Amino acid sequence: MKAKKVLAITLVTAMTIGMLAGCGTSGNDGKDSASDGDKITLNYWTWFPSKDQIQETVDAFEKENLDIKINMTVMESKTFQEKVPLALSTEEDIDVIGVQPSAFAEEVQDYLADLDELMPEVAGDNWKDSYSEKCLEQGNKLTGGDTKMLVLTNSGSMVGFYNAALLKDIGAEVPKTFEEYKAVAEKFKEKYPDKYVSVFAGKDSWVVDEMMLTVLGQQGDYYNQWRYNGADVDSDEFKQAINDLKKYFDEGIFSKDVLDLDYASATEEFTNGDALIYYMGSWEAPLLSKTLREQNGIDLENVGAMALPTAEDNGQLTVRSYIDSGIGIVDYSEKKEAAAKFVAYLTLGDGADIFGKQLTGTSAKKDFTVDESLFDTDESKEGWDTIVNLINTATADRNNVSGYSDIEGAAVQSVLNGSASTDDVLKDLQTEWTSGKYK
């Protein structure tokens, strides 16, 4: 969930802590626009995207809809989770809200309008034909079976972002299997003994959990069996996943000091050119674009994307994927038709393609196409295609359980640093998971 993404400031413009009002402006000189008194102002509260990330999309929407103005309020993720339910309960003047999966969506669903009633008027009776069936199913599961939210972005985790120039320098191809990965690591350490072969934020327990669950997904959909159908965490499947993640460390693909890197420092090692491969969620895809790298002061020459090579010979190159951010309309709003126009524009219309240029996630719009001018190399374009394919073919949902993922990740850390055994931590995790804290 986006709550876990404390994005490094070198990559994406940081979301403003607290509230930022007045995102939307028409961008006109006033001559061809409706007067302010004639305009409908939509109050849009969210934690994501930031003002900078969505401004171009808002400007385009307002240019097409001269009678509508978007007034955007952005909050830090946890602040958003705390403030919005209270604001909705007191019927504060809000028309559109960002919807976080999973618990938040379930908490606010009674305040959200039924989009099956609103969307046909603004997007046509067959609007669902243009929208991902999988995303519709995932969203409806969070809102009692009704269509009360639409997906703004999807994400997948974990993805490997690689320095294509360094990989070419050692004469290697993108590894897909463990043995290929080990060979790349040996060649890289021979030429660059002072650089990391691979990094991730090993100090952050939730990131370690993401890495372990990516390895688990290489076996199949056991995560979903555990998440939805009552399968045990104390299982052969989880045991293999933890031990396989440890194998990457034992064979020198990851060095033990990776466990000392937090999100910002792991990102910095890669963006400074001191690591061959960096693992994080697909939300770091702006790394693939020279244009976006330059905007963020990153001097890397060429970046591609890859799946984590399979730990076992029969494994699948995969990620877990899920709704990353959603959007809904407040049911008590008196401006629902205008709000529906805005939501349709962002999720089904031209706005989805405009916003997609930020590369913060994939769209639920079926015919979404990314602006290929963002990519200046074969590796970067193929990297984006790889991310899209991984998200679309994921073996399991990235439907994390807030709180528990930190505990599970800390347990895996203890195995990786040698302070606990896999069998012992799995017994403890089974007790934790069945304690009743995570309903």
Side-chain angles (χ1 to χ4, degrees), residues 405-420:
S405 61
D406 285 322
I407 292 171
E408 185 168 80
V412 176
Q413 284 172 325
S414 68
V415 174
L416 298 178
N417 65 29
S419 63

Side-chain angles (χ1 to χ4, degrees), residues 17 35-36 39 61 86 101 125 154 158 175 194 208 212 238 240 250 255 277 297 327 340 355 361 376 385 395:
I17 305 299
S35 67
D36 288 342
K39 287 190 177 185
F61 173 78
L86 178 60
D125 291 336
N154 297 289
M158 299 287 270
D194 296 328
V208 175
M212 184 274 291
F238 268 96
Q240 180 178 325
D250 293 342
S255 55
I277 304 171
I327 190 167
F355 179 61
D376 68 325
D385 292 342
T395 55

Side-chain angles (χ1 to χ4, degrees), residues 163 166 188 192-199 255 261 265-278 300:
N163 187 320
L166 287 178
F188 189 76
Y192 296 105
D194 296 328
K195 295 182 184 290
Y196 288 96
V197 176
S198 312
V199 294
S255 55
L261 300 177
S265 56
T267 305
E268 185 177 8
E269 293 293 347
F270 181 71
T271 56
N272 285 346
D274 293 324
L276 178 63
I277 304 171
Y278 163 60
L300 293 180

